[in-house]
Amino acid sequence: MEIDGIISAIVIGVVIGVLGRLVVPGRQRIGILWTILVGIAAALIGSAIASAFDVADTDGVDWVEWLIQIGLAAVGVAALDRTRSRPGR
């Protein structure tokens, strides 16, 4: 992976992470770094899922791919927040 690919993955991860965090109701007790990491993971996994279902490359904006990525980010943010908010931690 080249440097421009890494930079674009980080930028897309930030956007996906923030959008995923906005989807989850309430206040999340995770930091911005965790949000970015969840967003990057969701973007990569969501792209793989979209490719598997042959909806990754369409004419115009790839709305289905974005929705998959944002949904995965929301699940990741909610799961990470749940592990952070357990009693005794």
Side-chain angles (χ1 to χ4, degrees), residues 21 27-31 80-81 84-85:
R21 192 172 178 148
R27 182 178 184 273
Q28 295 83 37
R29 293 175 259 335
I30 62 172
L80 189 58
D81 180 53
R84 295 277 184 186
S85 64

Side-chain angles (χ1 to χ4, degrees), residues 47-61:
S47 291
I49 291 171
S51 292
F53 286 107
D54 201 27
V55 293
D57 294 319
T58 59
D59 294 334
V61 179

